[in-house]
Coordinates of all heavy atoms in Angstrom, one line a residue:
V297 N -33.6 19.0 10.5 CA -32.2 18.8 10.4 C -31.5 20.2 9.8 O -30.3 20.5 10.2 CB -31.8 17.5 9.6 CG1 -30.4 17.5 9.2 CG2 -32.3 16.4 10.4
L298 N -32.2 20.7 8.7 CA -31.7 21.8 8.0 C -31.7 22.9 9.0 O -30.6 23.7 9.1 CB -32.6 22.1 6.9 CG -32.5 21.1 5.7 CD1 -33.7 21.5 4.6 CD2 -31.2 21.0 5.1
E299 N -32.8 23.2 9.7 CA -32.9 24.3 10.7 C -31.8 24.3 11.7 O -31.2 25.4 12.0 CB -34.3 24.3 11.3 CG -35.4 24.7 10.2 CD -35.4 26.0 9.6 OE1 -34.8 27.0 10.2 OE2 -36.0 26.2 8.5
M300 N -31.6 23.1 12.2 CA -30.6 23.0 13.3 C -29.2 23.5 12.8 O -28.4 23.7 13.6 CB -30.5 21.6 13.8 CG -31.6 21.2 14.8 SD -31.2 19.6 15.7 CE -31.7 18.5 14.3
S301 N -29.0 23.3 11.5 CA -27.8 23.7 10.9 C -27.8 25.2 10.4 O -26.8 25.6 9.6 CB -27.3 22.7 9.9 OG -27.0 21.4 10.4
G302 N -28.8 25.8 10.7 CA -29.0 27.2 10.2 C -29.4 27.4 8.9 O -29.1 28.4 8.1
V303 N -29.9 26.3 8.2 CA -30.3 26.5 6.7 C -31.8 26.7 6.7 O -32.7 26.1 7.4 CB -30.0 25.1 6.1 CG1 -30.4 25.2 4.6 CG2 -28.5 24.9 6.0
D304 N -32.3 27.6 5.9 CA -33.7 27.9 5.8 C -34.4 26.9 5.1 O -34.3 26.7 3.8 CB -33.7 29.3 5.0 CG -35.3 29.7 4.9 OD1 -36.1 29.1 5.2 OD2 -35.4 30.8 4.2
S305 N -35.2 26.1 5.7 CA -35.8 24.9 5.2 C -37.1 25.3 4.3 O -37.7 24.4 3.6 CB -36.3 23.9 6.3 OG -37.3 24.6 7.1
K306 N -37.5 26.6 4.4 CA -38.6 27.0 3.4 C -37.9 27.2 2.0 O -38.6 27.1 1.0 CB -39.1 28.3 3.9 CG -39.9 28.1 5.3 CD -41.2 28.8 5.4 CE -41.9 28.4 6.6 NZ -41.2 28.3 7.8
K307 N -36.7 27.6 2.0 CA -36.1 27.9 0.7 C -35.3 26.6 0.1 O -35.4 26.3 -0.9 CB -35.1 29.0 0.9 CG -34.5 29.6 -0.4 CD -33.8 30.9 -0.2 CE -33.1 31.4 -1.5 NZ -32.2 32.3 -1.3
Y308 N -34.7 25.9 1.1 CA -33.7 24.8 0.7 C -34.3 23.5 1.1 O -34.9 23.4 2.3 CB -32.4 25.0 1.2 CG -31.7 26.2 0.6 CD1 -31.5 27.4 1.5 CD2 -31.2 26.3 -0.6 CE1 -30.9 28.6 1.0 CE2 -30.6 27.5 -1.1 CZ -30.4 28.5 -0.4 OH -29.9 29.6 -0.9
G309 N -34.0 22.5 0.3 CA -34.4 21.1 0.7 C -33.7 20.2 -0.2 O -32.9 20.6 -1.2
G310 N -33.7 18.9 0.1 CA -33.0 17.9 -0.7 C -33.1 16.5 -0.1 O -34.0 16.2 0.5
F311 N -32.2 15.8 -0.5 CA -32.2 14.4 -0.2 C -30.9 13.8 0.4 O -29.9 14.6 0.3 CB -32.6 13.3 -1.4 CG -31.7 13.5 -2.5 CD1 -30.5 12.7 -2.5 CD2 -32.1 14.1 -3.7 CE1 -29.5 12.8 -3.6 CE2 -31.1 14.2 -4.8 CZ -29.9 13.6 -4.7
A312 N -31.0 12.8 1.1 CA -29.8 12.1 1.7 C -30.0 10.6 1.5 O -31.0 10.1 1.4 CB -29.7 12.4 3.1
F313 N -28.8 9.9 1.4 CA -28.8 8.5 1.4 C -27.6 8.0 2.1 O -26.6 8.5 2.3 CB -28.9 8.0 0.0 CG -27.8 8.5 -0.9 CD1 -26.6 7.6 -1.0 CD2 -27.9 9.6 -1.7 CE1 -25.5 8.1 -1.8 CE2 -26.7 10.0 -2.4 CZ -25.7 9.3 -2.6
G314 N -27.8 6.7 2.5 CA -26.6 6.0 3.2 C -26.5 4.6 2.7 O -27.6 3.9 2.8
L315 N -25.4 4.2 2.1 CA -25.3 2.8 1.7 C -24.0 2.1 2.3 O -23.1 2.7 2.7 CB -25.3 2.8 0.1 CG -24.0 3.4 -0.5 CD1 -23.1 2.2 -1.0 CD2 -24.5 4.3 -1.7
G316 N -24.2 0.8 2.2 CA -23.0 0.0 2.9 C -22.2 -0.7 1.8 O -22.8 -1.7 1.2
P317 N -20.9 -0.2 1.6 CA -20.1 -1.0 0.7 C -19.8 -2.4 0.9 O -19.7 -3.2 0.1 CB -18.8 -0.1 0.8 CG -19.2 1.2 1.4 CD -20.4 0.9 2.2
D318 N -19.9 -2.7 2.3 CA -19.7 -4.1 2.7 C -20.7 -5.0 2.0 O -20.4 -6.0 1.4 CB -19.7 -4.3 4.1 CG -18.6 -3.4 4.9 OD1 -18.7 -2.2 4.9 OD2 -17.7 -4.0 5.5
R319 N -21.9 -4.5 2.2 CA -23.1 -5.2 1.6 C -23.0 -5.3 0.1 O -23.3 -6.5 -0.4 CB -24.4 -4.6 2.1 CG -25.6 -5.4 1.7 CD -26.8 -5.0 2.5 NE -28.0 -5.3 1.7 CZ -28.5 -6.5 1.5 NH1 -27.9 -7.6 2.2 NH2 -29.6 -6.7 0.9
I320 N -22.6 -4.3 -0.6 CA -22.5 -4.3 -1.9 C -21.5 -5.3 -2.5 O -21.7 -6.0 -3.4 CB -22.3 -2.8 -2.4 CG1 -23.5 -2.0 -2.2 CG2 -21.8 -2.8 -4.0 CD1 -23.6 -0.7 -2.8
A321 N -20.4 -5.3 -1.7 CA -19.3 -6.2 -2.1 C -19.8 -7.6 -1.9 O -19.4 -8.5 -2.7 CB -18.0 -5.9 -1.3
M322 N -20.4 -7.9 -0.8 CA -20.9 -9.3 -0.6 C -21.9 -9.8 -1.6 O -21.8 -10.8 -2.2 CB -21.6 -9.3 0.8 CG -20.7 -9.3 2.0 SD -21.6 -9.1 3.6 CE -21.9 -10.8 3.9
L323 N -22.9 -8.9 -2.1 CA -23.7 -9.2 -3.1 C -23.0 -9.4 -4.5 O -23.2 -10.4 -5.1 CB -24.8 -8.1 -3.2 CG -25.8 -7.9 -2.2 CD1 -26.5 -6.6 -2.3 CD2 -26.8 -9.1 -2.2
K324 N -22.2 -8.5 -4.7 CA -21.5 -8.5 -6.1 C -20.6 -9.7 -6.3 O -20.5 -10.2 -7.3 CB -20.8 -7.2 -6.1 CG -20.7 -6.6 -7.5 CD -20.0 -5.2 -7.6 CE -19.3 -5.2 -8.9 NZ -19.2 -3.7 -9.3
Y325 N -19.9 -10.0 -5.3 CA -18.9 -11.1 -5.3 C -19.3 -12.4 -4.6 O -18.5 -13.4 -4.5 CB -17.6 -10.7 -4.8 CG -17.1 -9.5 -5.6 CD1 -16.8 -8.2 -4.9 CD2 -16.8 -9.5 -6.9 CE1 -16.4 -7.2 -5.6 CE2 -16.3 -8.4 -7.6 CZ -16.1 -7.3 -6.9 OH -15.6 -6.1 -7.6
G326 N -20.6 -12.5 -4.2 CA -21.1 -13.7 -3.5 C -20.3 -14.1 -2.3 O -20.1 -15.3 -2.0
V327 N -19.9 -13.0 -1.5 CA -19.1 -13.3 -0.2 C -20.2 -13.6 0.8 O -21.1 -12.8 1.0 CB -18.3 -12.2 0.1 CG1 -17.6 -12.3 1.5 CG2 -17.2 -11.8 -0.9
D328 N -20.2 -14.7 1.4 CA -21.2 -15.1 2.5 C -21.0 -14.7 3.9 O -21.8 -14.9 4.7 CB -21.7 -16.5 2.3 CG -20.4 -17.4 2.6 OD1 -19.4 -16.9 3.0 OD2 -20.5 -18.6 2.4
D329 N -19.7 -14.1 4.2 CA -19.4 -13.8 5.6 C -18.7 -12.4 5.7 O -17.5 -12.4 5.1 CB -18.6 -14.9 6.2 CG -18.6 -14.6 7.7 OD1 -18.7 -13.5 8.2 OD2 -18.6 -15.7 8.5
I330 N -19.2 -11.5 6.2 CA -18.7 -10.0 6.1 C -17.4 -9.9 6.9 O -16.6 -9.2 6.6 CB -19.7 -9.0 6.9 CG1 -19.3 -7.6 6.7 CG2 -19.9 -9.3 8.3 CD1 -20.2 -6.6 7.2
R331 N -17.1 -10.9 7.8 CA -16.0 -10.9 8.6 C -14.8 -11.2 7.8 O -13.6 -10.8 8.0 CB -16.0 -12.0 9.9 CG -17.0 -11.5 10.8 CD -17.3 -12.5 11.8 NE -18.1 -13.7 11.2 CZ -18.7 -14.6 11.9 NH1 -18.7 -14.6 13.2 NH2 -19.3 -15.6 11.2
N332 N -14.9 -11.9 6.6 CA -13.8 -12.1 5.6 C -13.1 -10.8 5.2 O -11.9 -10.8 4.9 CB -14.3 -12.8 4.4 CG -14.6 -14.3 4.6 OD1 -13.9 -14.9 5.4 ND2 -15.6 -14.8 4.0
F333 N -13.9 -9.7 5.2 CA -13.2 -8.4 4.8 C -12.3 -7.9 5.8 O -11.5 -7.1 5.5 CB -14.4 -7.3 4.5 CG -15.3 -7.6 3.4 CD1 -16.6 -7.6 3.6 CD2 -14.8 -8.1 2.2 CE1 -17.5 -7.9 2.5 CE2 -15.7 -8.4 1.1 CZ -17.0 -8.3 1.4
Y334 N -12.4 -8.3 7.0 CA -11.6 -7.8 8.1 C -10.5 -8.7 8.7 O -9.8 -8.4 9.6 CB -12.5 -7.3 9.2 CG -13.4 -6.3 8.7 CD1 -14.7 -6.6 8.4 CD2 -13.0 -5.0 8.3 CE1 -15.5 -5.6 7.8 CE2 -13.8 -4.0 7.8 CZ -15.1 -4.3 7.5 OH -15.9 -3.4 6.9
L335 N -10.3 -9.9 8.1 CA -9.4 -10.8 8.6 C -8.0 -10.6 8.0 O -7.1 -11.3 8.5 CB -9.8 -12.3 8.3 CG -11.1 -12.8 9.1 CD1 -11.5 -14.1 8.6 CD2 -10.9 -12.7 10.6
N336 N -7.9 -9.9 7.0 CA -6.6 -9.7 6.3 C -5.9 -11.0 5.8 O -4.8 -11.1 6.0 CB -5.7 -8.8 7.2 CG -6.0 -7.4 7.1 OD1 -6.6 -6.9 6.1 ND2 -5.8 -6.7 8.2
D337 N -6.8 -11.9 5.4 CA -6.1 -13.2 4.9 C -6.0 -13.0 3.5 O -7.0 -12.7 2.6 CB -7.2 -14.3 5.2 CG -6.6 -15.7 4.8 OD1 -5.7 -15.7 3.9 OD2 -7.0 -16.6 5.3
Q338 N -4.7 -13.0 3.1 CA -4.2 -12.6 1.7 C -4.9 -13.7 0.7 O -5.3 -13.3 -0.4 CB -2.9 -12.8 1.6 CG -2.2 -12.3 0.2 CD -2.6 -10.9 -0.2 OE1 -3.0 -10.1 0.7 NE2 -2.3 -10.6 -1.4
R339 N -5.2 -14.9 1.1 CA -5.8 -15.9 0.2 C -7.2 -15.4 -0.1 O -7.7 -15.7 -1.3 CB -5.9 -17.3 0.8 CG -4.5 -18.0 1.1 CD -4.6 -19.1 1.9 NE -5.1 -18.8 3.3 CZ -5.3 -19.5 4.3 NH1 -5.2 -20.9 4.1 NH2 -5.9 -19.0 5.4
F340 N -7.9 -14.7 0.7 CA -9.2 -14.2 0.4 C -9.1 -12.9 -0.5 O -9.6 -12.8 -1.4 CB -10.0 -14.0 1.6 CG -11.2 -13.2 1.5 CD1 -12.4 -13.9 1.0 CD2 -11.4 -11.9 1.7 CE1 -13.6 -13.2 0.8 CE2 -12.5 -11.1 1.5 CZ -13.7 -11.8 1.0
L341 N -8.2 -12.0 0.0 CA -8.2 -10.7 -0.5 C -7.7 -10.7 -1.9 O -8.1 -9.9 -2.9 CB -7.3 -9.8 0.3 CG -8.0 -9.4 1.7 CD1 -7.1 -8.6 2.5 CD2 -9.3 -8.7 1.5
E342 N -6.7 -11.6 -2.2 CA -5.9 -11.5 -3.6 C -7.0 -11.9 -4.8 O -6.7 -11.7 -5.9 CB -4.7 -12.4 -3.6 CG -5.0 -13.9 -3.6 CD -3.7 -14.7 -3.5 OE1 -2.6 -14.1 -3.3 OE2 -3.8 -15.9 -3.3
Q343 N -8.1 -12.5 -4.4 CA -9.1 -12.7 -5.5 C -9.5 -11.5 -6.1 O -10.1 -11.5 -7.2 CB -10.4 -13.4 -4.9 CG -10.1 -14.7 -4.1 CD -11.5 -15.1 -3.5 OE1 -12.3 -15.6 -4.2 NE2 -11.6 -14.7 -2.2
F344 N -9.5 -10.3 -5.4 CA -9.9 -9.0 -5.8 C -8.9 -8.2 -6.5 O -9.0 -7.0 -6.4 CB -10.8 -8.4 -4.8 CG -11.8 -9.3 -4.1 CD1 -11.6 -9.8 -2.9 CD2 -13.0 -9.6 -4.8 CE1 -12.5 -10.7 -2.3 CE2 -13.9 -10.4 -4.1 CZ -13.6 -11.0 -2.8
K345 N -7.8 -8.9 -6.9 CA -6.8 -8.0 -7.5 C -7.2 -7.3 -8.8 O -7.7 -7.9 -9.6 CB -5.6 -8.9 -7.9 CG -4.3 -8.2 -7.8 CD -3.1 -9.2 -7.7 CE -1.9 -8.5 -7.2 NZ -1.0 -9.3 -6.6
R346 N -7.1 -6.0 -8.7 CA -7.6 -5.2 -10.0 C -6.6 -5.4 -11.0 O -5.5 -5.3 -10.8 CB -7.7 -3.7 -9.3 CG -9.0 -3.1 -9.8 CD -9.1 -1.6 -9.4 NE -8.2 -1.0 -8.4 CZ -8.6 0.0 -7.7 NH1 -9.8 0.5 -7.7 NH2 -7.7 0.5 -6.8
K347 N -7.2 -5.5 -12.3 CA -6.2 -5.4 -13.4 C -5.8 -4.1 -13.9 O -6.5 -3.3 -13.9 CB -7.0 -6.2 -14.5 CG -7.2 -7.7 -14.0 CD -7.8 -8.6 -15.0 CE -8.2 -9.8 -14.3 NZ -9.1 -9.8 -13.1

Side-chain angles (χ1 to χ4, degrees):
V297 170
L298 296 172
E299 295 292 342
M300 279 190 285
S301 293
V303 178
D304 180 357
S305 66
K306 297 222 166 47
K307 190 168 179 198
Y308 296 105
F311 61 79
F313 58 88
L315 68 103
D318 301 68
R319 186 165 154 71
I320 291 189
M322 286 173 83
L323 287 168
K324 213 172 150 154
Y325 300 118
V327 174
D328 56 11
D329 195 326
I330 189 172
R331 290 169 294 193
N332 284 322
F333 295 131
Y334 301 104
L335 294 175
N336 282 332
D337 186 334
Q338 187 58 13
R339 290 167 302 178
F340 171 76
L341 293 173
E342 72 188 357
Q343 302 174 82
F344 307 103
K345 206 160 201 158
R346 228 178 345 204
K347 294 176 188 57

